[in-house]
Amino acid sequence: MFLPVTGHEERDADGRRAGRRSTVLKIAGLTLAAALVAGVGTAGWAYWRLNDNIKSVDIDNALGDNRPAKAVTTPSPSGSASASPLPTEAVNILVLGSDSRSGKENQELGGGDSSGARSDTAMVVHIDAGRTSATVVSIPRDTLVTRPSCPLSDGGSTATAYGVMFNTAYSLGGPVCAVKTVESITNVRMDHYIEVDFSGFAKLVNALGGVTVTTDEDIDDDDSHLHLEAGTHHLNGRQALALARTRHGIGDGSDLGRIGLQQKLVTALLEQISSTDLLTSPTQLYEVADAVTGSLTTDTGLDSLGELMELGQSLKGLSAGGLTTVMMPVVTAPSDPNRVIAKEPAARELWESLK
């Protein structure tokens, strides 16, 4: 739930492109495991613990071949391949933030008493061939879509549904249905899946010593239990999570307003990671890595430290300013002023550009 985006390239207070975030994201997010291994040296038990933290779902096996085609890869020029080459082909990753309501920790953080979960934030992360630039597309959870029939773990399947909220795909059929729904509405193959849950996000913020965020307006939201005056605040994990969930206390109370708040939070969080020298504190480094891996659910292609490290290392050429953030073009749904639908042909053209 903590990588929201807006419909334009981000800039800092001086008008400069905030491309530094891409570099921070590479180092602090995807290659954190590699740094941990270097930091703990021979502490194999730590590697095992962190590797064992990661949960996975076999999405490829569940969905079979009835999916959009994989992107065509270009072979490396003759003689340029190394003994263990890092991947360079384009890749699409569906990233979800889950509003999990199961487990004591998630319930204490506002997940409620019922079982199950919702996809609170959804992004398609497209990394271009060569892996020197990337585009992140946010899909508002209140978007009305056609949800395709999805396979269930018991061997059955869900029924096709028309004009339902996008985030019902996850709550009804989990990661498999979320991926199938995204592929259905975008016609873009999702090569990987990454999910981060409630409690893991809060633990990450606490492990980093909190995060400093500046809000432009007062926030008074009883639903998320967050009450802040406009200004700069240093938030702990619980407060940061409340900020990420807030929607009724700001703007028009829509999901689109919450995306703006989440963007502020992720920018501040990545800056906090960037300014924290984790390698000088093995204890804090382990706490951060444990929080990250403990909050992850991935597809089976990213369910080990080795695979996550390889992905992170393949992004080392992603230049400052190489990250573009957009939101899927939407308009108010004719059937419900509180919902949105994809704006065509702009949405279709956006997805086509990512193939």
Side-chain angles (χ1 to χ4, degrees), residues 1-4 93-101 106 117-124 138-139 141 166-167 170-171 175 178 193-201 241 244-245 255 258 262 295-297:
M1 70 183 65
F2 58 90
L3 283 176
I93 306 172
L94 176 61
V95 179
L96 292 187
S98 69
D99 178 1
S100 178
R101 291 167 286 171
N106 282 321
R118 299 167 293 182
S119 56
D120 221 27
T121 295
M123 300 170 305
V124 173
S138 175
I139 304 175
R141 75 172 198 170
F166 167 75
N167 71 338
Y170 181 91
S171 60
Y193 171 83
I194 295 176
E195 174 189 329
V196 182
D197 74 9
F198 247 38
S199 62
F201 176 73
L241 182 59
R245 298 177 62 229
D255 188 46
R258 171 164 54 186
Q262 290 177 335
S295 69
L296 287 183
T297 299

Side-chain angles (χ1 to χ4, degrees), residues 9 20 35 42 45 61 92-94 99 119 126-127 133 143 148 162 190 217 228 236 238 242 278 297 304 322 337 340:
E9 292 187 28
R20 178 168 173 261
T42 59
W45 66 267
N61 183 60
N92 295 305
I93 306 172
L94 176 61
D99 178 1
S119 56
H126 173 80
I127 303 170
S133 59
T143 305
Y162 302 92
M190 297 296 109
E217 59 180 300
L228 292 175
N236 61 26
R238 182 184 292 270
L278 296 175
T297 299
S304 71
V340 296

Side-chain angles (χ1 to χ4, degrees), residues 24-48:
V24 174
L25 180 59
K26 290 185 301 177
I27 297 172
L30 297 174
T31 64
L32 182 59
L36 177 72
V37 172
V40 300
T42 59
W45 66 267
Y47 186 98
W48 176 88

Side-chain angles (χ1 to χ4, degrees), residues 5 40 77-78 93 113 118 133 153 167 243-244 250 276 288 303:
V5 293
V40 300
S78 178
I93 306 172
D113 297 325
R118 299 167 293 182
S133 59
S153 58
N167 71 338
L243 183 67
I250 57 164
T276 303
V288 171
D303 62 353

Side-chain angles (χ1 to χ4, degrees), residues 3 38 57 73 88 92 102 129 150 153-155 161 183-184 188 255 271 284 295 320 323:
L3 283 176
V57 178
T73 60
T88 60
N92 295 305
S102 61
C150 299
S153 58
D154 62 4
E183 292 185 342
S184 176
V188 175
D255 188 46
E271 290 294 336
Q284 186 180 21
S295 69
L323 183 67

Side-chain angles (χ1 to χ4, degrees), residues 2-292:
F2 58 90
L3 283 176
V5 293
T6 61
H8 56 275
E9 292 187 28
E10 297 170 330
R11 296 175 181 271
D12 62 19
D14 297 321
R16 297 170 298 189
R17 292 176 62 184
R20 178 168 173 261
R21 287 182 54 202
S22 63
T23 301
V24 174
L25 180 59
K26 290 185 301 177
I27 297 172
L30 297 174
T31 64
L32 182 59
L36 177 72
V37 172
V40 300
T42 59
W45 66 267
Y47 186 98
W48 176 88
R49 162 65 186 266
L50 297 174
N51 199 70
D52 192 57
N53 274 347
I54 305 167
K55 300 177 289 293
S56 66
V57 178
D58 192 349
I59 291 173
D60 286 343
N61 183 60
L63 293 183
D65 297 326
N66 187 22
R67 305 174 65 186
K70 290 185 177 181
V72 177
T73 60
T74 302
S76 299
S78 178
S80 64
S82 63
S84 300
L86 291 170
T88 60
E89 70 274 11
V91 63
N92 295 305
I93 306 172
L94 176 61
V95 179
L96 292 187
S98 69
D99 178 1
S100 178
R101 291 167 286 171
S102 61
K104 181 179 178 180
E105 288 180 312
N106 282 321
Q107 290 178 16
E108 289 177 348
L109 289 167
D113 297 325
S114 60
S115 62
R118 299 167 293 182
S119 56
D120 221 27
T121 295
M123 300 170 305
V124 173
V125 179
H126 173 80
I127 303 170
D128 294 325
R131 307 205 175 181
T132 59
S133 59
T135 302
V136 180
V137 184
S138 175
I139 304 175
R141 75 172 198 170
D142 291 344
T143 305
L144 298 182
V145 301
T146 296
R147 188 184 66 225
S149 174
C150 299
L152 297 174
S153 58
D154 62 4
S157 61
T158 66
T160 301
Y162 302 92
V164 296
M165 283 178 56
F166 167 75
N167 71 338
T168 63
Y170 181 91
S171 60
L172 186 65
V176 170
C177 197
V179 169
K180 185 166 186 179
T181 300
V182 169
E183 292 185 342
S184 176
I185 66 178
T186 66
N187 196 31
V188 175
R189 174 76 168 240
M190 297 296 109
D191 301 294
H192 292 297
Y193 171 83
I194 295 176
E195 174 189 329
V196 182
D197 74 9
F198 247 38
S199 62
F201 176 73
K203 285 180 180 177
L204 173 60
V205 173
N206 284 335
L208 289 168
V211 60
T212 301
V213 176
T214 299
T215 60
D216 299 326
E217 59 180 300
D218 294 346
I219 297 175
D220 190 17
D221 189 350
D222 290 333
D223 288 343
S224 67
H225 311 293
L226 185 66
H227 305 277
L228 292 175
E229 295 182 354
T232 300
H233 305 273
H234 191 73
L235 309 179
N236 61 26
R238 182 184 292 270
Q239 293 169 321
L241 182 59
L243 183 67
R245 298 177 62 229
T246 290
R247 63 184 292 178
H248 300 295
I250 57 164
D252 61 2
S254 72
D255 188 46
L256 305 186
R258 171 164 54 186
I259 286 175
L261 269 186
Q262 290 177 335
Q263 179 193 351
K264 283 181 175 291
L265 178 59
V266 72
T267 301
L269 182 60
L270 293 176
E271 290 294 336
Q272 177 70 17
I273 294 173
S274 177
S275 64
T276 303
D277 190 358
L278 296 175
L279 292 180
T280 63
S281 175
T283 299
Q284 186 180 21
L285 177 60
Y286 180 83
E287 289 177 356
V288 171
D290 191 40
V292 170

